Amino acid sequence: MSKQLNYSKIGLLVGLECHQQLATRTKLFCSCKPRLFKGEPKVTFLRRLRPTQSELGQVDPAAYFEFKKGVRILYEADNETSCLVEMDEEPPHPLNPEALEVALTVALMMNAKPVDEIHVMRKTVIDGSNTTGFQRTCVVALNGSIEVEGKAVPIEHISLEEDAARKTGAEGFEIRYRIDRLGIPLIEVTTGPVIQSPREAQRVALAIGRILRATKKVRRGIGTIRQDLNISIRDGALIEIKGVQELELISKVVEYEAKRQLGLLEIRDELKKRGVTEDEIRGEFHNATELFKKTKCRVLRKAINQGKRVLAVKLPKFSGLLGREIAPGMRLGREMADRARFWGRVGGIFHTDELPAYGVTEGEVDRLKRLLKAGPEDAVVFVADTLENAADALRAVVERAKEALRGVPEETRAANPDGTTRYMRPRPGAARMYPETDIPPIQITEEYLQELASRLPELPEEAVKRLMVEYDLNEKLAKQLVDSEYLGLFEDTVRKAQRVSPTVVAATLTETLKALRRDGVDVEEVSDEQILEVFRLVDSGRTTKEAIPEIITWLAEHKDGTVEEAVKELGLTVISGDELRSLVDRVVYENEAVVKERGEGAFGFLMGVIMKRYRGRLDAKVVSELLKERLKSLYRG
Amino acid sequence: MGGNHDLPSLPGYKGEALKILREAEAQAGDLIRIFKDGTSYEGVLMPRSEYGDERHIVIKIRSGYNIGVRVTADTRVEKVGAGAKVTFKPPPPPKQRPNLPRVSILSTGGTIASRVDYRTGAVRPAISAEDLYSIVPELSDIAVIETEVIFSLFSEDLTPKHWTRIAETVAKRIGEGVDGVVITHGTDTMAYTAAALSFALQDLPVPVVLVGAQRSEDRPSSDAALNLIGAVSAAAEAPFAEVVVAMHETVSDNAVAFHRGTKVRKCHTSRRDAFKSVNVNPLARLADGQLTMLTEDYRKRDHDRELTLKPNFDERVALIKFYPGMNPRLIDLYVDLGYRGLILEGTGLGHVGRKCFPSIRKAVERGLIVAMASQCIWGRVNMNVYTNGRDLLALGVIPLGDMLAETALVKLMWALGETDDPEEAKALLRTNMAGEVSARSIYI
């Protein structure tokens, strides 16, 4: 499947929904700090979310199913990062004006038209990620447009919404969520479905991200920007893929999804060719527990020992199609397993396309096929769990098999870190947006908009140019800085630590931090104030620029530590005066032979030895002067 | 809510916005297009909140979001299509199981018994048995339910006259032989009504359960369903025959507490567990489908017991909260208005400043019953400890032990409703009628 697709031929259309957390002082609907907490929760409480009827009296089937099964949500909280508002124990406070201002600023930068009166809505979400059972969200502006490499990309909506709680675990019927993230302001930028290739999707996301960062009011770090992708191909379906956290992954996710849809269409055609009809897929479940009584498959044996059952179902003429790879790592069998997990809460499924394996023997497969009267062209799917779960799981498998006859089922999928996706839930119905009656509408005046327009932040391209001129940065560094979310800190640092070269500051904030992150250092733990303090120490000569990576690493690992402590602990205070002099003497003495041979020409070599041994603790300029002096005196002597 | 009587087709719209919509012959629910400033907005015309101004039109755009569009001099509205008629088709109600206990649900209004009409934005009562079953299908496994709307009011709009009507309706239902009565009620004054019914419905044979919600029923996170399940379960099967309030025990959705009607108070503006029993433990709790009594001291369910209905209240009783610097003339005012009783919500063990003494003396001399509860909420008044307390006793102020001030107000209204003889009323006030006072202060 590595062949290059012709995306325009298959009619690929992609729309982006870019979500970015804002770095406001407080959350969107209360005065809590927009921060996460680590460690054990101080408060826990248990809730059940009951699917409510839409205005037509309908109840979302997936939601009702979850509820009926008795799914409960255990919420975790502490008193710093959440209050009664996040607990849904107090009505929301008025919309945070600081967040609104950022959203309106972005809207104006994207040439969008702010709405005259903002109405906060409730978008039904009952997976537990919102304590209320809905997400509060509002459209701030409509009909914008940005230019990406010469093409105008329409921006349909710019919205402001509350971030959801984060999932911290699930056990049986109990899901755990932490509500610290709930209520952090998110700006959502939605493009029209006009993007025609994976690479273009990535470039548009980058361009949107740059504009958002230009406000200097965005949070940074893993998870603070998330992309949802709406992807369709001709004859396929509109698939919503949620939660792509890394920009680099976007093109891969789009590519895989296009392939997945193509692969599913091929399977549809193949099934048609084989003459399968929906009525044929009957969903008769057979108890195959007896057959696996003596199996060597550990998963099955364990389940049977726990008194669970093995249920099996025949999928007529599906042989070979469940195991066929439709996109890297994605198979119809796996899609069925995802559905079975969601609807049946089972660990996974077995299917004959992948057997014999996992300790299941050829003999067992044969007997199973005989039990279900399955021929060589048929596939058999089976699952081991309680009777209820197993039946729910197989019902979901059968439903997915029927959908395979129709092509690509509409669904919401979640992105995996490797670019593949998995089934998340059915696509929610259209009528799930209701007014938030607890928050009065907010009117946006012309005067306010004019005032905002008069102080818009500079666009990313302008910033790059200005950085090159003003601070003498090269273009690459300037661009990296503008893309890095650290532009504000850079300008602050350069102003307050004037003896440090801007290039050093810029390289530290981009390349150094990136390298540290790659090495697994949790750079996000280090505050802007701390980074500034590090540069101040360099500025005053108390430590050196070479010591910066070590200090930042130490700070990331010592949450409550100060910069002073880091320098002390790491022994990174600058060596100077007599200590430095004797150090230089020692190195000259140790390398007497070289000095004798090369005389003053040994300077470069000795300098290298010293700096290597005491890197981070020496001011190279001072060392060089001392060394020159010493060599000169020796030579003369 | 409401207030849309004159123009049901364009609810909430006034002034300029109303004029332009009328000219376009648009109605709420219609698809319209608004042209202004060189752009256009298309969406379904939504009702406007009656608190909204006259200059904005609210539409629901295709993505489901609502936005408000300001009407300017060059704004034009065009009706694109008639609205699809929205009909609410609730799912079929679950099967009734006739051998289950019979429970009567009486609705008085409030958050628990309402749902939003998304087309008009109005809140309508949702109280037919079908409504309740479709909202909380579990109810059909607990009881056979019959429903009646007594009125549909926010609880702060209720008066003692409404308590009388509720009491009479409950008595009628019990007379018809139901196994229990549930009353849905706004939470703000639910504790007052609970106290009133506790005095008005004497010798109860079956439970009377007041229930409310702190989060409206149309939200997935509403506390209404669990509270209703708790209330109906108790009405159907609880071993007690008392007036109680059923609400969340904690902020979690796992237990309902049943509070004695005379000892309960709303102690939080918004939390699910706002209702607390004061100076006593709750009467019972329901968790995991299991009802547990938390005291042995309660009136037992007995179908054969004959209910005594005493539903009259005299509204000429006031609750006066003393505060530093209070003008004693406020007391005189009530006397001049012809009031018959005053409950003083005093400080600490039951005190008011000496400046008030002459007015209190005058009130007592004029025949008013003056009694003392404490604004501390928790604890018992004791007016023998300090001089001020002893002096107040000497003036004729009646100490009310550990009775809640709100319960004391309701009880004095009831006592004076029952009798014109002040001495008799005083005697009633001093007698424990419905668990409103206890002799012992237990450590909770």
Side-chain angles (χ1 to χ4, degrees):
Chain A
M1 292 297 296
S2 60
K3 65 178 183 221
Q4 186 64 39
L5 286 176
N6 183 338
Y7 293 106
S8 66
K9 208 174 125 201
I10 62 169
L12 175 73
L13 286 178
V14 182
L16 293 181
E17 281 176 33
C18 180
H19 303 86
Q20 167 73 60
Q21 285 184 352
L22 300 184
T24 44
R25 281 181 294 275
T26 62
K27 288 188 178 179
L28 195 54
F29 295 111
C30 66
S31 297
C32 290
K33 292 199 177 75
R35 270 209 314 238
L36 307 182
F37 76 90
K38 288 182 177 167
E40 288 302 305
K42 308 238 171 12
V43 181
T44 58
F45 55 100
L46 202 77
R47 291 278 166 77
R48 297 196 66 193
L49 290 178
R50 182 174 283 263
T52 47
Q53 294 161 358
S54 75
E55 52 218 300
L56 305 173
Q58 291 150 347
V59 172
D60 181 38
Y64 190 65
F65 177 85
E66 289 270 283
F67 174 76
K68 250 181 36 196
K69 292 291 171 189
V71 173
R72 304 181 306 176
I73 305 133
L74 187 77
Y75 289 106
E76 307 173 338
D78 78 347
N79 274 331
E80 300 298 314
T81 58
S82 60
C83 64
L84 290 185
V85 173
E86 288 92 334
M87 290 174 73
D88 189 40
E89 289 291 345
E90 181 174 304
H93 301 190
L95 185 80
N96 178 347
E98 188 189 5
L100 179 57
E101 182 159 313
V102 178
L104 286 170
T105 302
V106 168
L108 294 176
M109 289 173 81
M110 294 185 173
N111 307 303
K113 177 95 185 83
V115 304
D116 298 330
E117 190 181 67
I118 293 172
H119 287 247
V120 180
M121 306 295 286
R122 301 170 173 175
K123 190 194 273 180
T124 308
V125 182
I126 70 160
D127 60 3
S129 59
N130 289 72
T131 47
T132 47
F134 49 75
Q135 180 190 32
R136 296 189 180 99
T137 172
C138 56
V139 162
V140 168
L142 297 166
N143 300 330
S145 171
I146 59 169
E147 202 186 285
V148 182
E149 294 181 10
K151 175 174 163 180
V153 176
I155 302 296
E156 291 186 344
H157 288 165
I158 292 162
S159 313
L160 198 53
E161 55 190 35
E162 53 182 3
D163 204 344
R166 56 194 177 109
K167 201 169 177 175
T168 47
E171 238 170 73
F173 291 138
E174 192 167 294
I175 312 172
R176 294 172 80 96
Y177 278 98
R178 194 163 278 209
I179 59 171
D180 47 7
R181 199 179 68 181
L182 180 58
I184 293 182
L186 280 181
I187 188 165
E188 183 195 65
V189 177
T190 309
T191 74
V194 298
I195 297 164
Q196 289 166 307
S197 77
R199 228 173 70 83
E200 193 191 353
Q202 194 150 319
R203 284 194 307 248
V204 171
L206 180 64
I208 292 172
R210 278 192 182 133
I211 294 175
L212 294 174
R213 283 189 292 274
T215 63
K216 296 179 189 161
K217 285 273 186 117
V218 299
R219 278 167 59 85
R220 58 177 176 243
I222 290 289
T224 57
I225 183 160
R226 300 192 294 273
Q227 314 278 350
D228 293 350
L229 309 170
N230 294 306
I231 305 173
S232 65
I233 65 168
R234 194 174 304 113
D235 286 342
L238 183 61
I239 298 294
E240 186 183 13
I241 295 174
K242 291 214 159 281
V244 183
Q245 299 208 355
E246 286 179 62
L247 194 69
E248 291 73 26
L249 211 56
I250 291 175
S251 61
K252 208 176 199 181
V253 170
V254 175
E255 179 195 329
Y256 285 7
E257 178 55 23
K259 286 181 174 164
R260 192 186 70 92
Q261 296 199 22
L262 275 181
L264 288 174
L265 293 179
E266 282 167 19
I267 285 180
R268 177 196 66 184
D269 297 343
E270 174 67 25
L271 285 168
K272 259 187 205 155
K273 220 162 64 192
R274 294 183 187 182
V276 189
T277 62
E278 278 195 37
D279 298 342
E280 245 175 292
I281 308 171
R282 269 197 294 271
E284 286 162 5
F285 306 153
H286 296 260
N287 190 338
T289 317
E290 202 58 38
L291 203 150
F292 288 101
K293 265 272 155 71
K294 288 185 184 128
T295 186
K296 292 215 163 53
C297 172
R298 268 190 292 163
V299 179
L300 288 174
R301 211 176 42 223
K302 193 177 157 207
I304 293 171
N305 285 344
Q306 288 171 347
K308 293 178 174 170
R309 310 290 168 78
V310 180
L311 276 198
V313 68
K314 179 170 86 174
L315 300 179
K317 299 177 195 158
F318 269 73
S319 176
L321 299 180
L322 303 189
R324 180 196 279 187
E325 189 170 60
I326 49 180
M330 292 194 271
R331 296 175 164 82
L332 181 56
R334 197 167 148 185
E335 303 217 343
M336 289 178 170
D338 286 347
R339 292 283 184 94
R341 270 189 282 271
F342 180 83
W343 295 94
R345 301 156 306 280
V346 297
I349 60 169
F350 292 88
H351 61 79
T352 45
D353 275 5
E354 54 175 3
L355 298 175
Y358 314 117
V360 177
T361 64
E362 199 162 353
E364 284 168 335
V365 174
D366 285 345
R367 270 179 286 152
L368 181 69
K369 284 196 155 184
R370 238 173 302 152
L371 176 71
L372 275 85
K373 298 194 177 66
E377 71 282 11
D378 301 328
V380 175
V381 175
F382 60 100
V383 60
D385 210 301
T386 62
L387 208 52
E388 189 195 1
N389 286 359
D392 282 341
L394 288 191
R395 261 192 286 278
V397 167
V398 167
E399 181 56 32
R400 183 66 191 82
K402 287 183 178 170
E403 286 169 358
L405 292 180
R406 287 172 239 149
V408 186
E410 280 206 356
E411 59 195 19
T412 300
R413 301 180 66 83
N416 297 319
D418 64 355
T420 60
T421 56
R422 62 182 187 280
Y423 175 78
M424 198 173 164
R425 52 176 144 88
R427 267 179 73 81
R432 55 166 193 147
M433 196 96 89
Y434 309 118
E436 169 53 273
T437 45
D438 294 339
I439 299 166
I442 302 141
Q443 292 170 8
I444 307 299
T445 64
E446 270 312 315
E447 296 72 41
Y448 181 45
L449 288 177
Q450 274 164 17
E451 195 248 320
L452 280 184
S454 72
R455 54 179 170 95
L456 287 184
E458 63 185 340
L459 285 166
E461 310 82 77
E462 295 164 6
V464 169
K465 275 185 212 142
R466 183 175 57 81
L467 289 172
M468 290 171 65
V469 173
E470 208 168 305
Y471 300 109
D472 206 20
L473 300 183
N474 66 40
E475 188 179 348
K476 188 178 160 224
L477 256 188
K479 272 190 173 159
Q480 280 183 356
L481 199 55
V482 169
D483 286 345
S484 74
E485 308 156 352
Y486 283 98
L487 183 55
L489 181 58
F490 167 80
E491 300 202 67
D492 217 19
T493 305
V494 171
R495 202 166 46 243
K496 287 176 183 158
Q498 291 193 351
R499 266 172 299 200
V500 187
S501 110
T503 299
V504 168
V505 177
T508 303
L509 291 178
T510 55
E511 285 158 6
T512 306
L513 290 188
K514 202 170 160 192
L516 288 176
R517 234 178 248 132
R518 202 181 307 123
D519 294 342
V521 179
D522 194 358
V523 175
E524 273 41 76
E525 280 295 317
V526 187
S527 70
D528 285 7
E529 290 71 33
Q530 285 179 317
I531 292 177
L532 182 60
E533 180 67 22
V534 173
F535 281 112
R536 273 199 173 134
L537 281 193
V538 176
D539 190 51
S540 62
R542 282 159 63 208
T543 188
T544 65
K545 67 181 195 314
E546 286 78 11
I548 293 173
E550 264 186 89
I551 298 175
I552 290 177
T553 305
W554 190 91
L555 287 169
E557 287 161 1
H558 298 78
K559 211 182 149 208
D560 299 317
T562 66
V563 176
E564 293 277 355
E565 281 165 9
V567 171
K568 223 166 118 194
E569 281 283 315
L570 293 167
L572 288 174
T573 40
V574 163
I575 304 170
S576 60
D578 287 345
E579 201 187 340
L580 181 62
R581 233 180 297 274
S582 70
L583 186 153
V584 170
D585 284 352
R586 193 159 64 237
V587 173
V588 171
Y589 177 75
E590 281 168 11
N591 296 280
E592 220 179 339
V594 186
V595 176
K596 275 192 177 142
E597 194 190 316
R598 302 194 207 164
E600 277 181 86
F603 172 80
F605 172 78
L606 292 175
M607 195 65 196
V609 172
I610 296 171
M611 291 313 287
K612 193 175 169 200
R613 197 179 296 171
Y614 298 98
R615 189 177 171 78
R617 302 192 56 192
L618 301 174
D619 185 330
K621 224 168 86 194
V622 181
V623 174
S624 133
E625 275 163 21
L626 270 177
L627 184 61
K628 268 184 198 155
E629 205 175 279
R630 187 81 189 99
L631 284 176
K632 219 176 249 171
S633 71
L634 267 180
Y635 187 65
R636 275 199 220 111
Chain B
M1 313 284 157
N4 307 325
H5 326 289
D6 33 346
L7 269 167
S9 61
L10 289 167
Y13 286 98
K14 295 171 282 203
E16 287 171 71
L18 178 64
K19 188 164 158 264
I20 196 167
L21 287 172
R22 267 196 184 145
E23 281 165 8
E25 296 181 354
Q27 296 188 8
D30 287 346
L31 187 63
I32 62 166
R33 197 174 292 141
I34 307 171
F35 300 88
K36 68 174 270 198
D37 304 338
T39 48
S40 70
Y41 303 88
E42 191 177 286
V44 175
L45 179 61
M46 300 301 285
R48 180 132 181 94
S49 155
E50 58 187 297
Y51 306 107
D53 68 6
E54 306 180 353
R55 298 178 52 218
H56 291 81
I57 295 172
V58 185
I59 55 171
K60 183 182 275 295
I61 56 179
R62 211 164 54 91
S63 55
Y65 282 97
N66 289 7
I67 62 169
V69 182
R70 192 172 301 136
V71 177
T72 53
D74 68 339
T75 302
R76 209 157 51 74
V77 174
E78 191 181 284
K79 180 170 160 179
V80 179
K85 205 166 151 62
V86 177
T87 48
F88 183 85
K89 278 195 222 106
K95 250 209 173 97
Q96 288 267 14
R97 292 162 48 187
N99 41 2
L100 288 174
R102 271 174 67 207
V103 170
S104 172
I105 301 185
L106 308 176
S107 168
T108 68
T111 300
I112 188 166
S114 58
R115 52 187 316 137
V116 179
D117 181 327
Y118 292 108
R119 199 184 62 82
T120 64
V123 175
R124 68 175 179 87
I127 193 59
S128 71
E130 282 69 30
D131 279 341
L132 288 179
Y133 282 144
S134 73
I135 295 162
V136 192
E138 295 96 316
L139 292 181
S140 64
D141 295 330
I142 304 170
V144 175
I145 289 167
E146 45 199 57
T147 61
E148 178 184 344
V149 180
I150 308 182
F151 37 75
S152 205
L153 291 171
F154 290 123
S155 73
E156 61 272 27
D157 291 329
L158 301 189
T159 69
K161 289 185 187 63
H162 295 100
W163 302 339
T164 303
R165 270 181 65 194
I166 299 171
E168 286 167 350
T169 313
V170 172
K172 207 169 126 212
R173 293 286 164 265
I174 290 176
E176 289 163 7
V178 297
D179 294 289
V181 178
V182 170
I183 301 159
T184 62
H185 200 288
T187 54
D188 276 10
T189 70
M190 183 157 67
Y192 291 85
T193 304
L197 296 180
S198 301
F199 298 117
L201 299 165
Q202 295 188 357
D203 307 317
L204 269 175
V206 295
V208 172
V209 188
L210 287 112
V211 64
Q214 292 280 76
R215 296 288 164 286
S216 62
E217 171 277 312
D218 56 349
R219 303 165 171 236
S221 65
S222 173
D223 51 336
L226 180 64
N227 292 347
L228 256 178
I229 290 168
V232 173
S233 301
E237 280 164 358
F240 57 80
E242 298 199 20
V243 176
V244 296
V245 166
M247 290 290 282
H248 266 54
E249 185 180 64
T250 66
V251 296
S252 286
D253 280 338
N254 54 1
V256 175
F258 300 95
H259 305 277
R260 183 167 273 153
T262 50
K263 297 301 268 184
V264 64
R265 193 172 186 282
K266 187 178 186 182
C267 292
H268 197 278
T269 57
S270 59
R271 275 170 61 161
R272 286 165 173 73
D273 58 348
F275 283 80
K276 297 290 177 203
S277 283
V278 176
N279 294 328
V280 293
N281 284 312
L283 199 65
R285 68 191 289 266
L286 180 94
D288 304 318
Q290 201 62 48
L291 192 135
T292 315
M293 293 305 299
L294 301 176
T295 172
E296 288 168 10
D297 179 23
Y298 63 91
R299 189 194 306 117
K300 300 206 168 37
R301 181 193 281 269
D302 178 2
H303 260 281
D304 300 330
R305 195 183 294 125
E306 197 66 40
L307 172 74
T308 314
L309 178 65
K310 297 186 169 174
N312 300 312
F313 298 88
D314 189 328
E315 293 185 27
R316 291 170 293 176
V317 178
L319 177 58
I320 302 174
K321 184 171 192 149
F322 174 78
Y323 52 88
M326 189 182 104
N327 187 340
R329 287 278 297 137
L330 289 174
I331 296 172
D332 302 340
L333 204 64
Y334 284 112
V335 176
D336 296 344
L337 281 170
Y339 270 57
R340 297 179 66 203
L342 300 177
I343 301 296
L344 297 173
E345 202 180 303
T347 55
L349 288 165
H351 305 129
V352 296
R354 299 193 76 85
K355 266 192 158 175
C356 293
F357 286 10
S359 296
I360 291 172
R361 175 178 294 118
K362 197 172 94 186
V364 173
E365 282 167 6
R366 291 271 211 93
L368 276 81
I369 298 175
V370 183
M372 179 69 75
S374 176
Q375 56 188 244
C376 294
I377 300 173
W378 271 271
R380 175 186 300 277
V381 297
N382 186 328
M383 301 169 69
N384 295 314
V385 178
Y386 295 100
T387 318
N388 273 5
R390 290 191 287 266
D391 290 347
L392 283 165
L393 287 175
L395 288 176
V397 174
I398 302 167
L400 294 176
D402 67 343
M403 201 188 304
L404 278 166
E406 296 86 353
T407 299
L409 170 79
V410 173
K411 188 178 181 188
L412 188 51
M413 284 180 170
W414 171 79
L416 290 169
E418 279 303 307
T419 172
D420 288 331
D421 177 1
E423 288 312 312
E424 218 173 290
K426 268 188 211 168
L428 284 173
L429 192 59
R430 288 179 201 270
T431 313
N432 183 16
M433 306 295 301
E436 68 275 20
V437 278
S438 44
R440 298 176 60 236
S441 302
I442 56 165
Y443 178 73
I444 298 169

